[in-house]
Amino acid sequence: DIPSGLDADTGAVLGVAVKAAHTLTFAYAKPGLYTPEGRNHAGDIHVVKLGVPDKKILATTGHAAALIARETIAANLAPREAKTYKHKAGDILVVAGSAGKTGAAKLTAEAALKTGAGLATVCTWTDALPAFEKETKEIMLADLRREALTASLGAAVAKRSAVVIGPGFGLDNDAKTAVDFVLRT
């Protein structure tokens, strides 16, 4: 069901663990098998259904996490109609990135667009904007000015469908103020 010595929930090695080429796991996919350490020990993972409904399994195991299959995601993402206006499809604000740390913010905005958002805007510190301007084509940019932090952030957050905050944003007092502002808005 899981390689001996591997924790089924966390994937942690409990002293010594078997490194398997294949793991047959029963009833449901154990979260620990999909962590980096779990994948390293499990090899190819095969889930063998036992005929017990998934809802019953989750109710009896009490797992706080569950794996989401590609099929489940695809079934819940309907294609957007060609005539849909971009703001009706979702207007996502990504408050992220800083000088030298723009990659995760860019990937976050690109992921929003690839999953159906009509518009993605990265709101980042003034000194990080040049790096984004060189790299982005479909992503909008908003200047997050430290000297007018809540005003520039307030204008960027207004009327957005969703706000993502964090990747590569920094840990200084201005970043903390920005996070607090977004959480209160």
Side-chain angles (χ1 to χ4, degrees), residues 51-74:
V52 178
D54 288 341
K55 288 181 182 178
K56 180 74 171 172
I57 291 170
L58 289 175
T60 58
T61 60
H63 283 291
L67 298 169
I68 301 172
R70 287 178 197 244
E71 300 79 31
T72 303
I73 294 170

Side-chain angles (χ1 to χ4, degrees), residues 74-125:
N76 288 290
L77 291 177
R80 183 173 64 195
E81 290 185 30
K83 64 182 180 179
T84 302
Y85 181 62
K86 63 185 172 186
H87 292 284
K88 293 285 185 187
D91 188 341
I92 310 303
L93 181 69
V94 179
V95 181
S98 57
K101 295 180 176 78
T102 58
K106 181 176 175 267
L107 288 173
T108 301
E110 288 173 346
L113 292 172
K114 286 184 180 184
T115 57
L119 182 68
T121 302
V122 171
C123 182
T124 193
W125 307 113

Side-chain angles (χ1 to χ4, degrees), residues 36-37 40 54 62 82 97 103 123 182:
E37 197 66 33
N40 187 38
D54 288 341
C123 182
V182 169

